[in-house]
């Protein structure tokens, strides 16, 4: 699968990941679906609700998720997935990511090394929860249009 | 008696893209059982292997988290709205 992400959204994920270093950052991917593929037009940064272990864990609280969904809907967008950073760690999902993953959503992970953002990759949970499949990130300007759906 | 259950975006791929369903049940547990009976693949995403609701699955009756009510035994009526709201968790290790 391919995840289309606007250059501005990708830039904001990288900046958030660098700013949060050495802690993990997190946020929502906002956009829609077109011809069965997800398109990310915007991101909404979220505070890391974890009190402890913030250098290796993140949490988006349910009330923050609900606010994010309203924010997206107000722009005519939907939640396509989530992003977070892996400080000094590869941009691939951990067992903890797998244990807590929601289906269908894209999980964009940004690796940060010494405050410098490096690889950004996207992953989708397999239907049987056995692991993730990697999505190709296509960096492209996206334009909201009539064919853009806001959910699965 | 049917209670309105709001489905979050990540689960709509399993509910024929519906964002709300009217489901039968007198408790939250019975509503979720109705939901997973209709859409069997949802079960593995809502419940762990031991049959407990996954920690990142939050269920509210109106604005109240069922963890602070009677959990899955929380009674519902057709005047209530039940929401499934995700927590999003993860991290490098």
């Amino acid at each position: 699968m391919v995840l289309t992400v606007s250059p501005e959204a990708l830039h904001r994920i990288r900046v958030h990941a660098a700013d949060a270093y050495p802690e993990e950052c997190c946020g929502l991917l906002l956009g829609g679906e077109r011809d069965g593929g997800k398109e990310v037009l915007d991101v909404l940064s979220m505070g890391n609700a974890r009190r402890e272990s913030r250098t290796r864990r993140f949490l988006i609280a349910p009330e923050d998720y609900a606010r994010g969904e309203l924010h997206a809907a107000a722009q005519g967008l939907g939640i396509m997935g989530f992003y977070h950073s892996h400080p000094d760690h590869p941009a691939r999902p951990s067992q903890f990511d797998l244990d807590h993953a929601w289906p269908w959503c894209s999980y964009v992970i940004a690796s940060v090394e010494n405050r410098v953002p490096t690889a950004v990759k996207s992953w989708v949970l397999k239907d049987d929860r056995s692991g993730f499949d990697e999505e190709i990130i296509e960096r492209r300007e996206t334009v909201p249009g009539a064919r853009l759906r806001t959910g699965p | 008696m049917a209670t309105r259950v709001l489905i979050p975006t990540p689960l709509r791929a399993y509910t024929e893209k519906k964002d709300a369903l009217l489901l039968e049940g007198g408790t939250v547990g019975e509503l979720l059982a109705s939901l997973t009976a209709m859409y069997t693949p949802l079960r593995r995403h809502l419940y762990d292997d031991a049959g407990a609701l996954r920690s990142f699955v939050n269920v509210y009756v109106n604005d109240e988290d069922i963890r602070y009510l009677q959990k899955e035994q929380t009674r519902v009526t057709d005047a209530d709205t039940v929401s499934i709201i995700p927590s999003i968790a993860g991290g490098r290790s």
Side-chain angles (χ1 to χ4, degrees), chain A residues 27-87:
Chain A
L28 307 181
L29 307 174
L30 309 184
E33 273 195 298
R34 198 191 308 266
D35 302 329
K38 296 195 207 89
E39 297 189 357
V40 177
L41 283 74
D42 197 6
V43 294
L44 183 62
S45 62
M46 295 262 132
N48 184 350
R50 289 281 304 201
R51 295 262 180 263
E52 304 159 341
S53 308
R54 293 164 59 94
T55 58
R56 63 188 183 93
R57 296 277 167 85
F58 78 94
L59 174 67
I60 298 173
E63 54 271 27
D64 292 334
Y65 174 93
R67 273 196 289 273
E69 200 158 68
L70 289 175
H71 173 91
Q75 298 180 63
L77 303 177
I79 294 177
M80 296 295 106
F82 316 100
Y83 72 87
H84 70 282
S85 58
H86 278 182

Side-chain angles (χ1 to χ4, degrees), chain B residues 33-88:
Chain B
S34 297
L35 177 64
T36 54
M38 286 173 74
Y39 303 109
T40 311
L42 267 184
R43 184 164 181 84
R44 74 174 75 98
H45 298 300
L46 293 176
Y47 294 94
D48 63 20
D49 292 342
L53 266 182
R54 293 184 182 275
S55 61
F56 51 88
V57 176
N58 307 281
V59 182
Y60 291 75
V61 175
N62 305 316
D63 291 330
E64 289 288 327
D65 187 333
I66 62 165
R67 294 186 185 93
Y68 304 107
L69 300 171
Q70 283 76 50
K71 301 181 179 162
E72 287 165 80
Q73 282 72 52
T74 303
R75 298 203 64 79
V76 292
T77 71
D78 54 6
D80 293 318
T81 298
V82 172
S83 308
I84 301 169
I85 302 183
S87 293
I88 313 302

Side-chain angles (χ1 to χ4, degrees), chain A residues 57-58 60 69 94 97 127 152, chain B residues 9 14 17 88 90-93:
Chain A
R57 296 277 167 85
F58 78 94
I60 298 173
E69 200 158 68
S94 65
D97 288 325
D127 200 43
Chain B
T9 306
Y14 298 92
K17 303 179 182 177
I88 313 302
R92 66 185 167 97
S93 62

Side-chain angles (χ1 to χ4, degrees), chain A residues 85-103:
Chain A
S85 58
H86 278 182
D88 300 316
H89 202 76
R92 63 168 181 263
S94 65
Q95 182 64 43
F96 194 79
D97 288 325
L98 177 62
D99 292 343
H100 293 81
W102 287 86

Side-chain angles (χ1 to χ4, degrees), chain A residues 69-140:
Chain A
E69 200 158 68
L70 289 175
H71 173 91
Q75 298 180 63
L77 303 177
I79 294 177
M80 296 295 106
F82 316 100
Y83 72 87
H84 70 282
S85 58
H86 278 182
D88 300 316
H89 202 76
R92 63 168 181 263
S94 65
Q95 182 64 43
F96 194 79
D97 288 325
L98 177 62
D99 292 343
H100 293 81
W102 287 86
W104 182 80
C105 299
S106 294
Y107 280 79
V108 167
I109 301 177
S111 182
V112 198
E113 293 172 21
N114 269 331
R115 204 176 288 279
V116 178
T118 54
V120 180
K121 296 186 176 182
S122 184
W123 308 84
V124 177
L125 180 68
K126 290 178 188 287
D127 200 43
D128 63 3
R129 304 192 66 88
S130 63
F132 286 88
D133 290 317
E134 186 173 359
E135 290 182 306
I136 305 299
I137 294 180
E138 188 173 295
R139 188 175 175 275
R140 176 159 57 85

